[in-house]
Amino acid sequence: MPTYYTKTEAETEELGARLARQLPDGIVVAMYGDLGAGKTAFVRGMARGMGLSCRVSSPTFTIVNEYLGERDLIHFDMYRLSGADELFEIGWEDYLRRGAVCAVEWSEKVRDAFFGDEITVTIEKLGDTERKITIEGAELC
């Protein structure tokens, strides 16, 4: 599984953009990492890599943010959910059927909602801005 190291938030975003450029529509990107690890920065990069120019922010309180364009990105934050049942209650399967790229922060809270074909991104804080990012299920070109 490929591991990448970034030294700045901008580098973390660029890694997200690189991944997103090669993602097929309809894929789930399950993200793992502590609070402040850089998950939302990675998703900001994904949006840019998909050609979206919208403002990307954490959906911690709304649970879901949708960024629509030539390609759609649906950004989930599971921090406030107690499990996969709540995700299914808000229409998880409907979101999946739309064929958008789905980026899911705090995926450890909803592991039961995944089917095993997702791409996994784990972000570890090594310092104030340095990150170790492991991507499972995709090789970056």
Side-chain angles (χ1 to χ4, degrees):
M1 110 184 69
T3 299
Y4 306 88
Y5 294 88
T6 61
K7 293 183 185 309
T8 64
E9 187 172 318
E11 286 182 8
T12 298
E13 287 184 25
E14 181 52 36
L15 190 62
R18 284 178 52 202
L19 175 65
R21 285 185 199 105
Q22 63 190 48
L23 289 178
D25 290 336
I27 193 79
V28 172
V29 178
M31 304 183 71
Y32 300 86
D34 291 336
L35 190 64
K39 297 178 296 290
T40 300
F42 194 90
V43 175
R44 259 195 313 273
M46 288 177 62
R48 191 177 71 243
M50 293 174 63
L52 299 167
S53 59
C54 52
R55 182 179 175 274
V56 173
S57 61
S58 176
T60 300
F61 295 103
T62 59
I63 300 179
V64 181
N65 286 340
E66 297 184 35
Y67 311 112
L68 308 177
E70 191 171 314
R71 295 181 69 202
D72 296 342
L73 174 63
I74 303 174
H75 183 194
F76 295 86
D77 186 320
M78 302 295 109
Y79 186 76
R80 293 181 36 208
L81 297 188
S82 61
D85 289 344
E86 287 185 62
L87 181 57
F88 284 101
E89 287 173 14
I90 65 167
W92 173 243
E93 292 166 311
D94 295 329
Y95 284 111
L96 294 177
R97 278 193 283 276
R98 288 176 49 185
V101 172
C102 294
V104 183
E105 295 189 32
W106 296 99
S107 291
E108 56 271 27
K109 294 198 164 245
V110 294
R111 287 184 204 265
D112 296 346
F114 302 131
F115 302 107
D117 56 352
E118 68 278 354
I119 292 171
T120 300
V121 175
T122 303
I123 304 176
E124 297 175 52
K125 291 169 74 170
L126 301 178
D128 288 342
T129 60
E130 297 88 7
R131 301 294 183 260
K132 175 183 175 185
I133 302 172
T134 305
I135 300 174
E136 189 174 347
E139 296 268 344
L140 296 184
C141 302

